[in-house]
Each structure stands twice: as C-alpha cells, then as structure tokens.
Amino acid sequence: MKKIMYGLFFGDSITYGEYDGVFGGWVDILKRYALQKFHEGNGDELILFNLGIGGETTEGLLKRIPHELAARNSADGNIVFLSYGANDLAVKDGVQIVDPDKFKTNIKEAVAHARQFSNTIYLVSILPFSQKVDGVVVSSGKKRINEDVVVYNQILKNIAAEDSLGYIDFYSAFLDDKEILLSADGVHPNEKGYGMMAEIAIPIIEKYL
C-alpha cells in the first residue's frame, strides 16, 4: 500500500520564496517535483507544506510549531525542516533581535516539539549576505553582519550533530557566488539562487518518494 508522508517547511521569507516571481522559491520547486514524481507513479506520495512566514524569528516559530504540527500530521510519517536565523541575528536599534544563546535554546525547543511528530528533522543553514548589505543599516532599520551568520550556522551545525539531525548547507553553496545568487536587496536569493537551493534539496526528498 502506498504511503502518504508530509514534509513541513518552517521558516521565514526565504522559505516562503519571497522575490521569486518565476518559480515561487525553493520549497515550491520541491512541491512541484514531488507531485510530478507521484503522478509518474514512482512510489509513495510526499505532500509538502510551505509554512514560511516573512520576517519570522525562532520566537514566532515556537508560538506556532505545536499547532502547525498537530494540524498536519500524517500517520505515515512527517519530515520537518527548520530554516531560521536570518531575522534572529539582525540588529535593530543596537540590539540583536534574538541573541545566539536564545537562538540555540529556541531551536532546541523547536526540535523537541518536532520530535513528537517526526523522526526526520533537518536544520537549514542561513545564507550569506551580499557585500553591499553586510554591516549596513537598511530601510527596515535592521543591520545584518556576515560574521554573525557564521556564528549562528555553527550553532545549527552543533545541534544537528548532537541530536542526530540532518543539516542542509546552503551557505557553502552560496558563499563564492553570492553576488550573482542573491536578489537586489542582498538578503533574499534570486530565481537562480532559489533554483540552486532546490537542486541541493531534491536528493533529500528523493529518499521519501
């Protein structure tokens, strides 16, 4: 009998796919890919939910993750993706929105919630920022620093290693070519960037198709 699994993608505007008017972002590319594979009759069905909310931090995640997981719980299993940090590490009015210690605590708490519904959890790295916005206060009043990205990604890597979770390293893939993979705002990927993220993530979802 065919199984129906759910893939739940929690995250911010980069998970949502903001600024990608062509493909709708990396998660939406994966959704279409999984659907196509199902229609080809290649096995089990994997239904993907894009649960990204623009501007969200891990504080927002903790408020909704128990409800979202309970509302979308497949008896055949769930895969949970947590993609946070770009908003947490931002500095506004001289204060980091979610400091590294709190970020670590929040991610661990989110993982604990996810474990109640899933044995398969992936943490997703934060992308590097363009040179032009690195350390610059932008119109939203936020300042993001690439050095902080390294710190927060290390927290994610450590948690993934300690808790036997998957880790998706988009950061390394973007680092050398970030100026051509990021959109004009220097934070969100462009269509090419989102396409590359999907290419990296397809082999992960392939395992469940």
Side-chain angles (χ1 to χ4, degrees), residues 8-17 26-27 49-58 60-61 64 81-85 87 124:
L8 311 176
F9 291 79
F10 291 92
D12 49 30
S13 54
I14 294 174
T15 298
Y16 180 72
W26 68 284
V27 178
F49 294 92
N50 186 337
L51 303 173
I53 294 180
E56 190 168 68
T57 67
T58 51
L61 168 66
R64 69 184 176 108
F81 298 81
L82 302 176
S83 184
Y84 286 86
N87 295 311
V124 180

Side-chain angles (χ1 to χ4, degrees), residues 161-176:
E162 288 160 18
D163 295 1
S164 304
L165 312 175
Y167 180 73
I168 305 177
D169 187 5
F170 291 142
Y171 175 85
S172 297
F174 267 69
L175 196 55
D176 290 341

Side-chain angles (χ1 to χ4, degrees), residues 21-208:
V22 179
F23 305 117
W26 68 284
V27 178
D28 280 28
I29 297 171
L30 296 183
K31 276 167 75 171
R32 288 192 292 276
Y33 181 82
L35 191 62
Q36 180 192 334
K37 287 291 179 192
F38 175 66
H39 287 315
E40 287 169 5
N42 288 357
D44 299 330
E45 186 172 7
L46 178 63
I47 298 173
L48 305 184
F49 294 92
N50 186 337
L51 303 173
I53 294 180
E56 190 168 68
T57 67
T58 51
E59 300 278 291
L61 168 66
L62 291 181
K63 287 181 189 140
R64 69 184 176 108
I65 192 169
H67 312 289
E68 298 272 26
L69 288 166
R72 299 173 182 82
N73 180 25
S74 170
D76 292 328
N78 306 289
I79 311 156
V80 177
F81 298 81
L82 302 176
S83 184
Y84 286 86
N87 295 311
D88 294 69
L89 62 75
V91 175
K92 192 156 190 185
D93 302 324
V95 180
Q96 208 151 27
I97 293 172
V98 178
D99 69 46
D101 289 341
K102 186 68 176 140
F103 177 72
K104 181 180 179 180
T105 304
N106 289 351
I107 291 288
K108 280 188 159 291
E109 197 179 320
V111 168
H113 282 302
R115 278 213 190 280
Q116 294 172 38
F117 294 87
S118 174
N119 297 318
T120 311
I121 302 164
Y122 289 89
L123 301 184
V124 180
S125 73
I126 307 157
L127 298 177
F129 304 119
S130 165
Q131 211 87 49
K132 66 185 174 190
V133 297
D134 183 17
V136 175
V137 179
V138 295
S139 57
S140 65
K142 291 178 183 173
K143 177 172 71 173
R144 294 179 169 94
I145 302 164
N146 272 319
E147 283 174 15
D148 289 337
V149 176
V150 175
V151 172
Y152 281 62
N153 274 341
Q154 192 58 53
I155 291 168
L156 293 170
K157 277 185 208 169
N158 292 347
I159 294 171
E162 288 160 18
D163 295 1
S164 304
L165 312 175
Y167 180 73
I168 305 177
D169 187 5
F170 291 142
Y171 175 85
S172 297
F174 267 69
L175 196 55
D176 290 341
D177 296 319
K178 63 185 180 184
E179 304 306 335
I180 54 169
L181 295 171
L182 294 171
S183 63
D185 76 345
V187 175
H188 296 84
N190 54 27
E191 287 87 0
K192 191 172 182 181
Y194 279 122
M196 194 168 87
M197 292 168 80
E199 274 177 40
I200 293 166
I202 279 173
I204 292 167
I205 67 161
E206 282 271 3
K207 299 177 203 168
Y208 310 100

